[in-house]
Amino acid sequence: MSSPKVVFIDNPFFAVNNKDNDYKLYKGKDRKTDKRIFKQCKNKEDYSRQAKDYLFGKSGYMTYSRNEEKANISLKDLENNSNLFDYMMGGKKESSIMELNSMKREKMMMDKSGKYVSDSEACKKNFYWSKLFDKSNIHLSVLSFNKDYVDQNIGIDELQKELATKIMPMFLKRCGYENPNQTMDWVVALHSAVDRNNYHFHIGFIEKKESYRTTDNKLHFKQRLNLNEEELNFMKRQSILSIERAKVFTPSLIKLNQSLEEYKKFFNPKERSFTLKNIKNIDLEYKILRLGYLLNQVRQNSKHIKYNSLPKNHIGKEIRLLTQDIKKNILSSKEINLSKKEIDKSIEEINTIFKNIDIENHISNVGFEDAKDSKLVQDKLEKYDNYVLNAIVNNSLYVYNNRFTSKSAISINDIMNEAVLLVYLNQKKNKKTNLLKNSFQKNYSYQKAVTSALGRLKYQQDKVAEQFYQMLSENEKGVYK
């Protein structure tokens, strides 16, 4: 079996209030056995003191925490720079090792904004995290890549920025933290080892305030910090995708976009294949007219209506149900179905990429994210679905206004529409499903519907004429007084 291109190791965490660590403090690894070393602390206060000492240094920045004049002191100038951030910036490595591995202190640790952290900024971060620590948690992990694999596909600087600014927020959200960009802080430090031919990123993150929603539906600091297999898998998949985006992922996304654009043409009024102009189903035509009528009730001053901006009242509810019903009916078209199959095929190609990533990197199928469930694909599908829904409501509004509000005289269309409505309401009342078939049966013939429609329209026209004549008569009386 080939070696995986990416390895993600969940390192021990540090948390004063964590229920799982039992005040056992991680103190590094035994060089001979490569086993992790833990020290049992007496109680919560003892754990907090020793953890701070280990993470932030005995004589490190904590010594100067009350002296603002020394706030910008360099980590290099401290008597004992054995703290977390100095380690991430290569403080434990000899200059010859740093040079051999092309590691530069000023280009090693990156913050959440994608900016490299200087010594003075690292000092401030060291102080800031130490102040958060008693209530919050610090989580450390290592993400390792095959060096040749990265160099052949993406620049290491670009990968580090992608990891710090894009992948980390997605990963933390997957871990259950809400709004991580505002509620959390993290760093990503690049180290490399020529002898092992790998790049590895040391990742550290901490909660600035409560950001994990628990069973009581309130936000708390997260207590149990061990990453599960689904979360580990998510980080590995997203990391590989960021590297292979240009080679395999982006072309597949382009193909999906093209399929969606073809699908979109069926609902574009400027295209020849405008689906909503080829309605031959009486039941569907009634629904479009009914939808147009309802939309006319809720429309403000704008000529157009957005489906997602409809009111949340009983009329809005009926409009949404009717729009979805019309959409379902339209999508049964053979031509549109072929277009949808192309979309599904493009999504399946993306899914194949996901599966290949897992196979090549020995990632289990636990928590496998289907392409259709990924946020990127979901957002695209939602965008085009909204386009279709907006096309349906605006076309319905246009059809209704064009037929009923722009003509004063009774036309053949008016008679037909009235007849269709009578047939539809009668068949709906009798709960008969096949409207077209039943419309021409003896029990309620189409001829009868047209006759009834003419009668109703003639009655309405006569009433209007009568009122008009009465109005004229009253005016005449006023003139001859």
Side-chain angles (χ1 to χ4, degrees), residues 280-284 423 427 432-441 446:
K280 298 177 182 178
N281 182 316
I282 294 176
D283 184 35
L284 181 58
V423 173
Q427 297 302 321
K432 293 179 180 177
T433 54
N434 193 333
L435 179 62
L436 286 173
K437 182 179 178 182
N438 293 332
S439 295
F440 297 95
Q441 291 180 351
Y446 196 72

Side-chain angles (χ1 to χ4, degrees), residues 61 63-73 124 127:
Y61 187 69
T63 306
Y64 304 98
S65 61
R66 295 178 185 175
N67 191 337
E68 292 189 9
E69 291 180 7
K70 298 180 180 179
N72 293 320
I73 193 167
K124 291 178 182 178
F127 173 62

Side-chain angles (χ1 to χ4, degrees), residues 29 33 85 90 115 135 139 199 383 409-410 435 457 470:
K29 283 187 178 182
T33 62
F85 295 102
K115 178 187 172 186
K135 289 183 178 179
H139 194 290
Y199 291 120
K383 173 188 171 184
I410 296 173
L435 179 62
L457 288 167
Q470 188 176 359

Side-chain angles (χ1 to χ4, degrees), residues 265-266 268-278 335:
K265 287 179 181 179
F266 288 100
N268 186 343
K270 296 178 182 178
E271 294 287 337
R272 292 179 182 177
S273 59
F274 183 39
T275 303
L276 293 165
K277 281 188 177 178
N278 300 319
E335 199 173 1

Side-chain angles (χ1 to χ4, degrees), residues 12 99 165:
E99 188 176 347
T165 61

Side-chain angles (χ1 to χ4, degrees), residues 262-414:
E262 284 300 313
Y263 170 69
K264 183 178 172 181
K265 287 179 181 179
F266 288 100
F267 301 91
N268 186 343
K270 296 178 182 178
E271 294 287 337
R272 292 179 182 177
S273 59
F274 183 39
T275 303
L276 293 165
K277 281 188 177 178
N278 300 319
I279 304 300
K280 298 177 182 178
N281 182 316
I282 294 176
D283 184 35
L284 181 58
E285 187 162 359
Y286 164 72
K287 289 176 182 176
I288 288 174
L289 290 171
R290 172 66 181 169
L291 178 59
Y293 168 77
L294 293 171
L295 289 164
N296 215 39
Q297 308 304 305
V298 301
R299 183 177 62 161
Q300 302 298 324
N301 298 324
S302 174
K303 290 183 179 180
H304 299 285
I305 285 183
K306 288 186 178 180
Y307 178 81
N308 287 329
S309 300
L310 291 167
K312 294 181 179 179
N313 53 22
H314 69 283
I315 297 180
K317 184 178 180 182
E318 185 180 351
I319 289 172
R320 287 184 182 86
L321 290 173
L322 201 51
T323 306
Q324 292 289 351
D325 194 21
I326 292 170
K327 175 191 162 189
K328 184 179 178 182
N329 203 311
I330 290 172
L331 294 186
S332 62
S333 157
K334 184 179 178 182
E335 199 173 1
I336 297 179
N337 261 321
L338 288 173
S339 182
K340 280 186 68 64
K341 282 181 181 178
E342 285 299 315
I343 293 170
D344 291 338
K345 185 180 175 183
S346 299
I347 294 173
E348 190 53 41
E349 286 179 11
I350 294 173
N351 215 43
T352 302
I353 293 171
F354 288 173
K355 288 176 180 176
N356 287 339
I357 286 171
D358 284 8
I359 293 169
E360 290 176 9
N361 292 282
H362 314 166
I363 300 174
S364 72
N365 60 1
V366 175
F368 179 79
E369 185 181 45
D370 191 274
K372 220 162 195 173
D373 296 328
S374 73
K375 188 176 185 304
L376 183 64
V377 175
Q378 269 190 344
D379 286 348
K380 286 183 180 295
L381 294 177
E382 186 179 337
K383 173 188 171 184
Y384 284 88
D385 188 55
N386 283 336
Y387 181 89
V388 171
L389 295 171
N390 284 329
I392 291 171
V393 295
N394 284 292
N395 177 73
S396 299
L397 189 62
Y398 169 80
V399 169
Y400 175 79
N401 287 327
N402 193 49
R403 290 205 185 170
F404 292 105
T405 62
S406 61
K407 297 176 183 178
S408 56
I410 296 173
S411 68
I412 188 66
N413 266 343
D414 297 327

Side-chain angles (χ1 to χ4, degrees), residues 227-256:
L227 299 178
N228 61 38
E229 196 169 1
E230 182 177 343
E231 292 159 351
L232 292 167
N233 285 344
F234 181 82
M235 173 60 86
K236 288 188 275 190
R237 288 183 191 118
Q238 294 302 320
S239 299
I240 294 293
L241 281 178
S242 67
I243 294 172
E244 299 206 359
R245 195 173 298 278
K247 187 169 67 177
V248 291
F249 193 54
T250 300
S252 296
L253 282 179
I254 290 171
K255 189 172 181 181
L256 173 60

